Amino acid sequence: MNKTQIHIVGGGLAGCEAAWQCLRAGHDVRLYEMRPKKMTPAHATGDLAELVCSNSLKSMLPDTAPGLLKSEMQALDSLILKAAAHTAVPAGQALAVERTVFSLFILESLESFPGFKKVDAEVTELPPVGDNEAWIVASGPLTSQPLVDQLQGLCPDSRRLHFYDAIAPILETESIDESIVFRASRYDDSGDGDYWNVPLNKDEYEAFVDAVIAAEKMPLHDFEDVAYFESCLPIEVMIERGRETLRFGPMKPMGLVDPRTGHRPWAAVQLRMENKEGTMVSMVGFQTKMKWPEQKRVFSLLPGLKDVEFFRFGSVHRNSYLKSPDVLDRDLSFRSAPRIFLAGQITGVEGYTESAAIGLLAGRAASAKVQGQRFLMPPAGTIIGALYQYITEGGLGDFQPMNANLGLLPSLPKQRGMGKPQRKALQCARSREIFAAYANQLSGSSQNYQHGGVWNAQAGL
């Protein structure tokens, strides 16, 4: 039998994680990284898994989505979490790392396999793929234009590849004040409509506009000279065109009646369900450049959103990603090219750990395919499985980048006397049970792995 070889494009967290999983499965790996020969506008070094922004990999608490994801990835023998545990620095309940040592640990871990080779070169073309090999593209949100053109050729519709993405906030439905915010669809008086509606009177609208104008905005990077799409303008840009623009745009109150007054509100924010369970809602048309603390402050001024909790804040930034549900098969390979896989942030996930998680799954899926097998993907009741399901099936709204959050998990029915913290704890406990069952399935197959438990920062040292 000829030696199997897997080529991985991109030495970020997803690419390194995919490489680790493939090497552990006995394959030769060629990891292509164009840095430092060709730099991106965001990176500063040629190091593998360079952390461009924060050095934090978010919370370690077991009853949080980031904590659950770490636990699951640790159980799947994640290199990124091994490196994070080895290079952790004090950060309270968060997992933060020493950047340069983190990158060095990852390089040395991969180089410990004789079948690993790092190639310092830009990949501009994806060649035909043989039976004993596969390619994994984990080139990140700053993929170079030649490779973008290659990926575009694998998509049946040129609109499948997105660039400057404008993302609206996603809110926790349970944190909305239902005595103020009402359910209705426009021009439908039957009640219990498809949208949640946040009603504002004239004074509340004017105060909201003033707050948006005064809020601190995120500065764009030098390489983010964004030409906005007219159909996807940030609310700040709309306000610059006139104070009434929002009221005749995303805050248009036409066809709505506030049950508290029996009249049409002066303006209204519509919230659209993001999942079938209705645990998450997005603010329709509310792309924003406000800094995250400012979003929390300003949007909490809206009636009925005083105590709202955010699953994701809005943003406007340079971020190339595919509309993955339209182009990827269930094993994260392209439908049009079954031996070319996609991994990391370019699939439509947000965050360091999330990107590495998809790299982990892509690495295992590619390893299985070159061996004539199929990797058993995790179920949706787990956090890693929920992320996987999101990028392969999508949600109810437009497909936009998503981070790990409990809103992706199936909800629990409300019980009298049980508060939200208790329900979240039960939701996380159920997720751990589902993952344990999945672990048992894998442990009895050729896709065995090292099963861990709740995330432990000392594991892997």
Side-chain angles (χ1 to χ4, degrees):
M1 179 177 178
N2 294 330
K3 185 70 172 177
T4 54
Q5 187 167 91
I6 297 179
H7 306 265
I8 299 174
V9 182
L13 276 74
C16 291
E17 186 65 68
W20 173 259
Q21 298 296 328
C22 295
L23 290 165
R24 288 179 61 250
H27 308 293
D28 282 351
V29 169
R30 297 294 176 266
L31 178 64
Y32 301 85
E33 174 52 60
M34 67 181 188
R35 298 178 290 112
K37 290 185 177 180
K38 181 177 180 179
M39 298 297 291
T40 75
H43 289 83
T45 74
D47 296 344
L48 292 182
E50 179 186 339
L51 302 181
V52 173
C53 299
S54 168
N55 69 329
S56 173
L57 277 66
K58 300 182 182 177
S59 175
M60 296 186 292
L61 294 177
D63 286 345
T64 65
L68 280 176
L69 183 59
K70 289 179 180 65
S71 174
E72 294 166 1
M73 291 175 64
Q74 180 188 12
L76 291 165
D77 195 30
S78 163
L79 172 63
I80 298 305
L81 290 189
K82 285 179 181 292
H86 184 80
T87 62
V89 297
Q93 297 172 342
L95 175 62
V97 304
E98 187 176 348
R99 297 173 194 256
T100 55
V101 185
F102 175 78
S103 295
L104 181 61
F105 182 95
I106 288 172
L107 175 63
E108 291 177 345
S109 297
L110 295 176
E111 288 183 335
S112 68
F113 287 85
F116 174 76
K117 182 178 180 180
K118 181 176 179 285
V119 182
D120 296 325
E122 178 187 4
V123 173
T124 59
E125 184 177 359
L126 298 174
V129 186
D131 291 339
N132 294 319
E133 60 180 351
W135 283 74
I136 300 174
V137 179
S139 48
L142 297 175
T143 299
S144 64
Q145 191 59 48
L147 187 53
V148 164
D149 295 339
Q150 282 280 301
L151 295 176
Q152 198 72 70
L154 299 176
C155 301
D157 185 329
S158 62
R159 293 172 297 176
R160 295 295 190 268
L161 190 61
H162 297 242
F163 291 99
Y164 296 106
D165 62 322
I167 301 173
I170 292 181
L171 315 178
E172 182 189 52
T173 307
E174 190 178 344
S175 63
I176 295 169
D177 186 348
E178 297 182 38
S179 68
I180 299 174
V181 179
F182 60 95
R183 291 285 295 274
S185 298
R186 296 188 190 279
Y187 304 105
D188 182 3
D189 59 3
S190 62
D192 201 26
D194 293 333
Y195 291 84
W196 293 92
N197 298 274
V198 181
L200 291 84
N201 60 34
K202 184 175 182 178
D203 290 341
E204 290 167 337
Y205 175 79
E206 294 294 336
F208 175 71
V209 170
D210 288 339
V212 173
I213 293 172
E216 287 189 83
K217 315 300 191 299
M218 285 293 294
L220 294 176
H221 295 287
D222 292 340
F223 58 91
E224 293 185 309
D225 183 16
V226 181
Y228 299 113
F229 294 106
E230 285 297 312
S231 61
C232 201
L233 293 173
I235 58 174
E236 300 86 3
V237 175
M238 285 188 269
I239 290 175
E240 289 173 1
R241 298 181 177 185
R243 294 181 65 89
E244 294 289 288
T245 306
L246 286 180
R247 203 166 72 85
F248 289 91
M251 296 182 72
K252 180 175 63 176
M254 300 299 292
L256 298 173
V257 176
D258 186 346
R260 297 177 303 162
T261 65
H263 300 290
R264 187 177 72 193
W266 183 257
V269 179
Q270 286 206 303
L271 310 176
R272 179 178 53 220
M273 287 196 300
E274 282 289 316
N275 58 351
K276 295 178 181 179
E277 292 80 8
T279 57
M280 300 188 294
V281 289
S282 60
M283 303 181 73
V284 179
F286 264 63
Q287 298 77 222
T288 177
K289 299 186 293 181
M290 287 187 288
K291 291 184 176 181
W292 288 0
E294 292 289 79
Q295 291 184 46
K296 172 68 174 174
R297 180 183 65 83
V298 172
F299 292 141
S300 295
L301 297 175
L302 292 168
L305 301 187
K306 178 182 176 183
D307 299 315
V308 74
E309 295 188 18
F310 290 78
F311 282 133
R312 182 187 72 191
F313 289 102
S315 66
V316 177
H317 58 282
R318 169 71 160 86
N319 186 10
S320 300
Y321 66 97
L322 286 169
K323 193 175 181 183
S324 293
D326 286 1
V327 300
L328 294 187
D329 205 345
R330 298 291 293 173
D331 64 353
L332 299 175
S333 67
F334 282 90
R335 294 182 190 134
S336 60
R339 286 185 176 267
I340 299 178
F341 296 77
L342 205 65
Q345 200 166 344
I346 199 169
T347 65
V349 295
E350 283 278 3
Y352 291 147
T353 315
E354 291 88 339
S355 297
I358 302 304
L360 187 156
L361 296 181
R364 292 211 167 201
S367 296
K369 180 165 281 187
V370 297
Q371 294 173 323
Q373 301 174 356
R374 190 176 183 88
F375 176 61
L376 178 65
M377 290 291 184
T382 65
I383 285 290
I384 193 171
L387 283 171
Y388 157 75
Q389 183 183 56
Y390 180 76
I391 63 174
T392 53
E393 297 183 14
L396 294 182
D398 293 336
F399 183 75
Q400 293 184 331
M402 181 68 70
N403 62 332
N405 63 79
L406 297 182
L408 291 171
L409 297 177
S411 60
L412 290 175
K414 293 183 179 180
Q415 298 182 31
R416 186 183 299 274
M418 181 181 293
K420 185 166 60 177
Q422 292 173 292
R423 283 201 304 278
K424 285 187 175 180
L426 286 176
Q427 190 180 30
C428 292
R430 183 182 63 178
S431 182
R432 283 189 285 270
E433 290 178 0
I434 295 172
F435 187 85
Y438 171 66
N440 288 333
Q441 286 182 280
L442 285 188
S443 64
S445 73
S446 59
Q447 301 165 350
N448 193 12
Y449 67 101
Q450 300 172 10
H451 177 57
V454 174
W455 162 250
N456 178 1
Q458 299 303 313
L461 289 178

